Amino acid sequence: MAAAPPPPSCCLVALPPHAKDGLVVFGKNSARPRDEVQEVVYFPAADHEPESKVECTYISVDQVPKTHAIVISRPAWLWGAEMGANEHGVCIANEAVNAREPAAETEALLGMDLVRLGLERGSTAKEALDVIVALLEEHGQGGNYYEDAGSCHSFQSAYLIVDHEEAWVLETVGKYWAAEKVTEGVRCICNQLSLTTKIDAEHPELRSYAQRQGWWTGEDEFNFSEVFSPADDHLHCCAGKDSLEKQEEGITVQTMIDILRDKASGVCIDSESFLTTASMASVLPQSRGSPCIHYFTGTPDPSRSIFKPFIFVDDVKLVPKAQSPCFGDDDPARREPRFQEKPDRRHELYKAHEWARAVIASGQEQGRRLRRTMLELEKQGLEAMEEILASPAPPDPAEVADLFYDCVDTEIKFFK
């Protein structure tokens, strides 16, 4: 039986010379089951007691003495993240992939847990990569990717890990992995293995494992995706990469947002089983003086959503309206047998936005007007952020501490 197809998410990065004036631009569309809710959550930096543990989605792992401040977009039932950023300007997104080696159903770390662990513990892209592969080696990956009692969908995982200097593409099969460093141009990862012969770091036993499995002779050049992809996987180029490559230079966060909204290319998914349930775009200036700016929708379908900016400062105002209700230890995702019921995880922003989605989908004049006004609202935010990036002085922390909060608030009021 062929493995179920992984959700068709898409992660993208553009570095100079393709990106505009010394910026690194990052983006992800998170494709997930259609009715799943994603929340946007900020966690401040924290110090932890020695010997303490951190409870991830299915298992606990040793906590580290200090975790960085992070902002993440995540399916509301799990601990990890589909995508996010930390206070040091590291952004990570993951992709579920199938490989020749079926993914373990045994509960271990999810690819999404590793995204969050990498953000909490890595102050550069390379450091985050090292964190992820060390945890993978120690705990393995596995468990259900969906809030579904009916069947277990487990996948291998790939990651796009980016900071203001470089990007790393990390692809994993069980505890084995390979990674490629990207320092210029554009890169896209979608839901299949993409690394070929340029490998800049790898699991020490990767090649001997491939030989033991009879997947590689040891004589031909080692091509990671040829060796590890399932037989029926034909490498197709990610549509997002085509769109980015057409923009020879001058890619900005607006370019990235436009690509994430593109349904015709397949970057923005709206199918029977999957929907882009949340999106993120970030701009990471290479000069340390300017702040990194991260935009989140917190709502499904980026073509009908507003990208709202977030900047890390010390006293970021929390945004409960973009956070799902918390069910604590009673959460059906945390009790075994898991997922015996599905609680209503919609947050206030999601509920307000449902109305807008319905109006736009109706195709009437009211919907067209609504969408224009939403884009206008978004444009104001983007222009204000352009000014911050162009300014020689860093922004006043007091002015940006409630930036995301205000944008969410304005959006909800607007929908009412």
Side-chain angles (χ1 to χ4, degrees):
M1 173 186 138
S9 296
C10 180
C11 313
L12 303 150
V13 66
L15 297 113
H18 280 63
K20 180 175 177 274
D21 342 314
L23 302 176
V24 175
V25 184
F26 166 90
K28 175 173 177 183
N29 269 349
S30 170
R32 298 282 302 168
R34 289 192 68 88
D35 58 350
E36 186 178 78
V37 176
Q38 274 197 46
E39 56 179 352
V40 178
V41 199
Y42 167 79
F43 293 98
D47 297 308
H48 305 279
E49 293 291 313
E51 316 277 301
S52 60
K53 295 274 192 194
V54 53
E55 263 187 59
C56 303
T57 305
Y58 298 130
I59 64 166
S60 294
V61 303
D62 291 334
Q63 186 52 287
V64 287
K66 183 171 176 33
T67 49
H68 307 310
I70 62 170
V71 61
I72 56 176
S73 183
R74 65 170 180 189
W77 62 271
L78 53 75
W79 179 84
E82 275 283 292
M83 50 206 171
N86 71 20
E87 59 185 304
H88 301 291
V90 177
C91 293
I92 310 181
N94 79 317
E95 292 286 333
V97 289
N98 282 327
R100 264 182 160 171
E101 169 84 19
E105 292 190 5
T106 315
E107 292 187 348
L109 289 172
L110 284 174
M112 290 152 306
D113 293 337
L114 288 160
V115 170
R116 177 168 171 183
L117 289 160
L119 290 170
E120 287 186 339
R121 302 176 180 200
S123 55
T124 63
K126 180 62 170 64
E127 230 174 71
L129 180 138
D130 293 339
V131 163
I132 290 172
V133 299
L135 287 161
L136 195 56
E137 175 76 25
E138 189 179 349
H139 302 283
Q141 57 182 324
N144 203 342
Y145 263 61
Y146 303 147
E147 187 182 15
D148 179 2
S151 56
C152 180
H153 298 272
S154 58
F155 299 101
Q156 308 289 8
S157 50
Y159 304 83
L160 184 59
I161 309 171
V162 178
D163 62 25
H164 57 90
E165 284 174 9
E166 60 191 32
W168 284 84
V169 176
L170 166 64
E171 299 188 341
T172 67
V173 178
K175 67 171 188 173
Y176 300 99
W177 58 273
E180 179 188 350
K181 179 175 166 174
V182 181
T183 53
E184 57 176 33
V186 300
R187 191 57 186 264
C188 169
I189 66 168
C190 5
N191 51 328
Q192 55 185 25
L193 299 174
S194 68
L195 297 180
T196 58
T197 54
K198 182 182 180 294
I199 296 176
D200 297 305
E202 65 187 78
H203 188 286
E205 289 153 36
L206 176 70
R207 297 179 192 223
S208 55
Y209 167 67
Q211 271 182 285
R212 284 198 309 275
Q213 296 289 335
W215 297 336
W216 182 55
T217 61
E219 276 140 43
D220 322 335
E221 187 176 23
F222 184 79
N223 178 318
F224 183 80
S225 52
E226 271 181 18
V227 170
F228 287 102
S229 292
D232 54 5
D233 228 14
H234 303 293
L235 279 182
H236 60 81
C237 179
C238 164
K241 183 164 185 282
D242 292 347
S243 313
L244 278 179
E245 277 176 343
K246 284 191 197 112
Q247 315 272 338
E248 310 236 307
E249 54 192 41
I251 292 171
T252 61
V253 78
Q254 182 68 63
T255 324
M256 184 64 78
I257 288 172
D258 293 342
I259 289 171
L260 294 176
R261 287 190 161 131
D262 187 358
K263 286 189 172 164
S265 70
V267 171
C268 178
I269 274 299
D270 187 350
S271 69
E272 269 177 54
S273 5
F274 297 114
L275 180 65
T276 298
T277 54
S279 305
M280 171 183 179
S282 294
V283 55
L284 315 173
Q286 292 187 302
S287 82
R288 291 294 182 111
S290 297
C292 297
I293 304 175
H294 311 285
Y295 298 84
F296 293 91
T297 56
T299 54
D301 191 346
S303 70
R304 297 168 181 174
S305 288
I306 299 176
F307 282 81
K308 298 165 281 290
F310 175 98
I311 294 176
F312 281 95
V313 286
D314 282 344
D315 294 309
V316 169
K317 188 167 180 180
L318 301 177
V319 186
K321 289 176 180 171
Q323 276 179 262
S324 295
C326 176
F327 301 97
D329 288 337
D330 289 337
D331 195 313
R334 294 180 66 172
R335 288 199 315 254
E336 294 188 51
R338 297 192 201 275
F339 314 130
Q340 295 305 299
E341 51 199 277
K342 262 191 179 174
D344 182 356
R345 300 190 187 273
R346 294 174 305 159
H347 44 76
E348 270 188 67
L349 173 65
Y350 187 98
K351 288 179 179 171
H353 179 262
E354 276 182 313
W355 167 80
R357 269 164 71 202
V359 172
I360 296 171
S362 71
Q364 307 293 322
E365 179 53 34
Q366 185 197 5
R368 285 190 285 278
R369 271 203 313 270
L370 174 62
R371 189 165 179 277
R372 280 199 298 274
T373 321
M374 285 167 71
L375 289 174
E376 194 47 49
L377 207 57
E378 178 183 276
K379 190 169 159 228
Q380 291 166 12
L382 284 160
E383 284 171 356
M385 295 306 105
E386 279 297 306
E387 281 174 32
I388 286 180
L389 286 177
S391 153
D396 172 4
E399 281 184 20
V400 295
D402 44 12
L403 178 64
F404 190 70
Y405 181 95
D406 288 344
C407 292
V408 169
D409 216 44
T410 305
E411 181 174 340
I412 291 173
K413 289 190 177 116
F414 167 68
F415 291 145
K416 287 178 175 165

